[in-house]
Amino acid sequence: MTADFQVWSREVATRMEAALAEILPPKAIAPSRLHDAMRYSVLDGGKRVRPMLVFGGGLVTDADPERLKVAAAAVELIHAYSLVHDDMPCMDDDVLRRGKPTTHVEFDEATALLAGDALQSLAFQLLGDYRLSDDPATQLRMVQIFAVACGSRGMAGGQAIDLDSVAKALTLPELEYMHILKTGALIRASVLLGAHCGVALSAADAEHLDRYAKCVGLAFQVVDDVLDEEGDASTLGKTAGKDREANKPTYTSLMGLAGAKKFAAELLADAHAALAGFDARADRLRQLADFIVHRDR
Ligand code: GRG
């Protein structure tokens, strides 16, 4: 990671922390326990990779940073909701997330469920509350992109396939399909929402950006599987080795550790190739792809 990228990524993370702290309802307002749980689930944690991808996408189209902040907050709220629900006993049943007790452990299951629900609603509310594109049709398109990415043909659908895959021998294409939905869809939407906040792209450029986003979305998951195998809880901030323990198919179980690493490197090369026609405004996206593939947590 270059020093310059490190400074930029810290700036985005700091900016997001302030924006999310302001957007989330204060604990002092009733229902206090629910608001407390929402804030607990979102604030002070996470790498904020998806917000960075929103900002990276927006740089390509000269988008207003104030708009990007709102779009990035919406994406991060959805991401936080997905982690809260994923950690619950009815799904992954985990006790550690972002180095602290999971929301249902810190609060209780019903509160965690509602916190996730309310975070999802708040995310969509943001897309209605703020002007994110000069063109109302584009803003509507953004809501559609976002909804599909979150729903049964996106993250929730991928999670359903994941839950159904325990102890099953998935083929590589089946595993890929699951992850394109579960992890890839929101990552892809992050880049696209950011880009839609700015000036319109040509159809060809939009397609190239989408190709980049798809490669990075899948690479993220492949690397997540590698880290789950190689990492330790203190670095990851979550329980390591969970997938193997749960007998879930992963890239490392299907391709081996070396094979998964090679695949991540290929996806990284594809992501860079997709951006080949873009100028220096796409450099943050290039650096983000490198970061996602070479991260250690
Ligand atoms: C409950 C509808 C629903 C969906 C859950 C995304 C997801 C679907 C579950 C998360 C489980 C998981 C660990 C998936 C692997 C990839 C992933 C999303 C990792 C967590 O994202 P990071 O590394 O987390 O960006 P931070 O904490 O840095 O924000």
Side-chain angles (χ1 to χ4, degrees), residues 32-91:
S32 175
R33 189 173 168 78
L34 177 60
H35 289 156
D36 195 14
M38 289 165 74
R39 298 182 76 85
Y40 177 85
S41 308
V42 175
L43 299 177
D44 192 23
K47 297 179 288 297
R48 309 298 191 208
V49 167
R50 292 157 194 79
M52 288 177 206
L53 287 164
V54 173
F55 276 86
L59 282 171
V60 172
T61 59
D62 300 319
D64 176 353
E66 284 302 304
R67 290 181 176 178
L68 294 173
K69 191 174 78 179
V70 175
V75 169
E76 192 65 11
L77 292 177
I78 292 289
H79 172 56
Y81 124 70
S82 80
L83 298 181
V84 172
H85 282 189
D86 180 67
D87 288 333
M88 289 184 68
C90 60
M91 296 209 200

Side-chain angles (χ1 to χ4, degrees), residues 103-126:
T103 305
H104 68 276
V105 169
E106 183 71 13
F107 293 83
D108 55 80
E109 280 184 43
T111 304
L113 186 69
L114 290 172
D117 291 342
L119 289 172
Q120 173 159 218
S121 297
L122 184 56
F124 278 92
Q125 188 190 330
L126 291 179

Side-chain angles (χ1 to χ4, degrees), residues 164-243:
D164 200 40
S165 72
V166 177
K168 280 192 186 156
L170 292 191
T171 63
L172 214 47
E174 285 168 339
L175 184 74
E176 188 164 306
Y177 180 62
M178 170 177 91
H179 287 310
I180 283 172
L181 298 187
K182 184 181 131 181
T183 316
L186 192 61
I187 289 184
R188 179 178 169 217
S190 303
V191 178
L192 300 183
L193 289 187
H196 277 306
C197 286
V199 297
L201 286 170
S202 70
D205 277 352
E207 210 178 298
H208 289 132
L209 202 60
D210 196 27
R211 170 96 197 128
Y212 162 87
K214 281 180 185 163
C215 291
V216 165
L218 190 56
F220 188 96
Q221 182 61 53
V222 178
V223 172
D224 204 73
D225 284 354
V226 169
L227 291 173
D228 191 60
E229 198 62 38
E230 282 193 323
D232 61 278
S234 61
T235 315
L236 295 176
K238 61 181 180 182
T239 317
K242 282 275 298 185
D243 289 342

Side-chain angles (χ1 to χ4, degrees), residues 67 130-140 142 196-198:
R67 290 181 176 178
Y130 294 89
R131 175 164 289 288
L132 300 180
S133 167
D134 293 335
D135 174 22
T138 300
Q139 180 135 1
L140 194 56
M142 290 165 80
H196 277 306
C197 286

